[in-house]
Amino acid sequence: MSLISELLIISVGAILVQNFVLVQFLGICPFLGVSKKVETATGMGFAVIFVMACASAITWAVQQLLDLFGIGYLQTIAFILVIAVLVQFVEMFLQKTIPSLYSSLGIYLPLITTNCAVLGVAIQNITKYAGADYSFLKSVVYGTTAGIGFTLAIVLFAGVRERLESSDIPEFLKGMPITLITASLLSIAFMGFSGLSF
Amino acid sequence: MEILLPVVIIGGMGLLFGALLAVAAKIFEVKKDERIPLITECLPGANCGGCGFAGCAAYAEAICTEGAKVSLCPVGGNGAAEKIAEIMGVEAENIERMVAFVACMGTPDVAKDRYANNEAISCHAANRLAGGMKGCAYGCLGCGSCVEKCSNGGIAIVNGVAKVDKELCTNCGACIAECPRGVIIRIPYSSRAAVFCNSKAPGKEVRLVCDAGCLGCGICAKNCPKEAIVVENNVARIDGSKCVGCGICVEKCPKKCIELINKNAKIQVAVEVNKRT
């Protein structure tokens, strides 16, 4: 199989079949927290894409370094360090360039640090693609597309939630209950991709 | 040696990232007004939102960037406003001191009780017992729950109706939160006249249950030379900032439920009004 088709499979897998939020259930916190408006959801999505892509690249290199010295068990702590730095960087960047997005993301921006989806990407990169040729490229593609998958899920969900705002919902379901039901329906819809094969 | 390697590597990574972030912080530095932290210091830090902004820090920012007034903090009062004014280099306006006020004069002789008053029960209990012993559903029950809540001993039950000593009132709002009838309201400390009624019922109903209840007739509003009185929800309310204490409404009120509450202020202003006319 050529590299291009391999990368394509990785992309489709990360975006649809193994969607981080709706199939793997990683990164649920910002998924529910920042999905009230499409605009903020998009901003959050792009922030996550950036962090995931950079984290994939850097953690791949860090893993090589750790393996070189035989201290692979420090993986988690080292990865979290990398992710924290990246998130800090994104935070500074947004505060300077898009202050309105910065304030609307609020606490969820620094919380990307502890977003398990980001750490999940880094760990999965190591376990899935370790040792293979071009694994660095695959890692970065997987990280980026995983971020795109997250963005897709959160933007879709925000669109649904915006509609929910103006619909007639029974009193006892208003707020979080209907949100969770909607999320699970969306998740079931994404399960439909699991039969996809090439 | 085995322990040293991980420490050096992780520590080195930490140092490297720290240095990178320090550089990034310089590049992406957001210039903030230096006065914002100074002003935040002057504010009480309660983040109550009484100023109309999200919190003390948001208010401080609004003062610097949006030109918000320096005297909006009700908790910090004039002290905070003066300090902020000094930082901003502007004149502080006086903050109107607000006090609690019981808008009811329905003593037992004018507002008839429907059943015998058991003074041992709390206002909340009395209010639940068939809607209170008072015929009027809005008046003070006089059971004294607010008296217990006032930490300054500023409320007393006088002839079956609570009264707030405005000299002792700190505008904490404990009595307002406690009152099941919502009969306690906030008025400016310097208010010269006030409507002693809280009844939102139509005049006809009020007349049946209380001889001193505001009918919402609006005679006071029509006669007020300063247009300081409005009738809202069947009850007259006086705007303390416009009222000059002339006392015309007190004369005109058919139910005599408006009273002058700041006699000294009245005399001064009355003289002024006379000079003008």
Side-chain angles (χ1 to χ4, degrees):
Chain A
M1 208 188 298
S2 72
L3 180 67
I4 299 290
S5 62
E6 253 183 85
L7 292 181
L8 206 63
I9 289 172
I10 289 175
S11 307
V12 174
I15 296 173
L16 298 175
V17 186
Q18 290 292 311
N19 187 290
F20 260 77
V21 181
L22 295 168
V23 179
Q24 301 194 45
F25 305 125
L26 293 168
I28 300 290
C29 170
F31 178 65
L32 294 175
V34 215
S35 57
K36 279 203 183 103
K37 279 196 298 186
V38 174
E39 205 187 347
T40 19
T42 319
M44 184 71 180
F46 280 105
V48 170
I49 292 178
F50 177 79
V51 173
M52 277 186 169
C54 296
S56 297
I58 299 173
T59 52
W60 187 87
V62 168
Q63 181 67 25
Q64 304 300 312
L65 182 76
L66 294 181
D67 282 343
L68 192 68
F69 292 99
I71 47 171
Y73 58 88
L74 283 174
Q75 203 185 45
T76 312
I77 190 167
F79 287 5
I80 285 291
L81 191 64
V82 170
I83 294 164
V85 170
L86 284 171
V87 171
Q88 276 298 314
F89 182 78
V90 172
E91 202 178 333
M92 284 176 201
F93 179 76
L94 282 184
Q95 195 176 9
K96 173 84 175 177
T97 50
I98 325 172
S100 58
L101 181 63
Y102 173 78
S103 56
S104 60
L105 286 176
I107 185 68
Y108 292 101
L109 189 55
L111 276 184
I112 301 179
T113 310
T114 50
N115 187 339
C116 47
V118 183
L119 184 64
V121 157
I123 303 263
Q124 283 181 13
N125 277 334
I126 303 308
T127 49
K128 276 189 180 174
Y129 306 117
D133 293 337
Y134 300 108
S135 59
F136 176 75
L137 189 59
K138 284 180 189 168
S139 295
V140 176
V141 168
Y142 186 64
T144 317
T145 48
I148 293 171
F150 178 89
T151 312
L152 177 73
I154 197 169
V155 171
L156 279 178
F157 191 48
V160 176
R161 276 185 84 173
E162 275 190 357
R163 290 244 181 146
L164 280 179
E165 287 282 306
S166 56
S167 34
D168 189 20
I169 301 161
E171 191 62 38
F172 64 101
L173 284 176
K174 268 185 186 156
M176 258 309 153
I178 193 73
T179 309
L180 289 174
I181 292 171
T182 317
S184 56
L185 287 174
L186 206 56
S187 172
I188 290 170
F190 265 71
M191 294 262 173
F193 289 116
S194 62
L196 212 61
S197 62
F198 298 94
Chain B
M1 194 57 205
E2 249 176 62
I3 185 83
L4 210 61
L5 198 60
V7 171
V8 168
I9 290 179
I10 296 290
M13 275 170 65
L15 273 177
L16 179 70
F17 290 146
L20 285 177
L21 274 188
V23 173
K26 272 273 170 243
I27 296 170
F28 294 112
E29 192 183 12
V30 176
K31 282 239 158 62
K32 280 217 165 177
D33 204 317
E34 290 169 358
R35 295 171 300 187
I36 293 175
L38 288 174
I39 293 174
T40 315
E41 197 92 325
C42 299
L43 294 166
N47 292 319
C48 63
C51 50
F53 296 93
C56 292
Y59 175 45
E61 206 176 324
I63 291 174
C64 291
T65 57
E66 292 158 35
K69 280 187 183 171
V70 297
S71 55
L72 294 178
C73 180
V75 182
N78 282 332
E82 273 165 26
K83 278 189 207 159
I84 299 169
E86 210 172 287
I87 295 170
M88 296 298 293
V90 293
E91 288 277 310
E93 305 144 45
N94 268 341
I95 295 181
E96 189 64 78
R97 179 182 161 194
M98 301 294 276
V99 288
F101 167 72
V102 182
C104 182
M105 51 159 52
T107 49
D109 48 311
V110 292
K112 292 285 172 285
D113 283 352
R114 293 186 294 159
Y115 55 83
N117 183 5
N118 180 355
E119 284 185 13
I121 62 174
S122 73
C123 289
H124 286 274
N127 191 39
R128 286 198 195 110
L129 200 58
M133 60 290 226
K134 266 216 167 82
C136 170
Y138 301 93
C140 175
L141 294 166
C143 297
S145 289
C146 52
V147 176
E148 286 163 28
K149 280 285 163 187
C150 185
S151 48
N152 300 312
I155 309 182
I157 305 292
V158 182
N159 198 6
V161 170
K163 272 224 174 300
V164 178
D165 184 340
K166 67 177 181 179
E167 302 303 331
L168 293 174
C169 180
T170 57
N171 189 27
C172 67
C175 53
I176 295 171
E178 182 66 12
C179 183
R181 311 280 266 190
V183 68
I184 308 179
I185 57 174
R186 282 192 173 96
I187 60 167
Y189 172 82
S190 59
S191 286
R192 297 174 179 106
V195 181
F196 282 71
C197 184
N198 181 45
S199 176
K200 278 104 182 159
K204 197 178 169 190
E205 286 171 30
V206 176
R207 211 167 50 84
L208 291 174
V209 293
C210 182
D211 291 337
C214 175
L215 305 170
C217 63
I219 290 177
C220 49
K222 279 183 202 122
N223 284 288
C224 180
K226 292 287 171 188
E227 294 178 348
I229 311 181
V230 281
V231 178
E232 270 178 352
N233 298 325
N234 292 315
V235 63
R237 284 283 174 254
I238 298 175
D239 183 345
S241 61
K242 289 182 190 163
C243 174
V244 291
C246 62
I248 293 173
C249 52
V250 180
E251 303 272 313
K252 295 282 181 185
C253 181
K255 287 294 178 181
K256 298 287 169 241
C257 62
I258 307 180
E259 274 188 9
L260 293 176
I261 53 174
N262 201 342
K263 301 275 159 53
N264 296 336
K266 178 214 160 188
I267 297 165
Q268 283 177 359
V269 183
V271 172
E272 253 174 60
V273 170
N274 286 342
K275 270 183 200 160
R276 263 183 240 155
T277 46

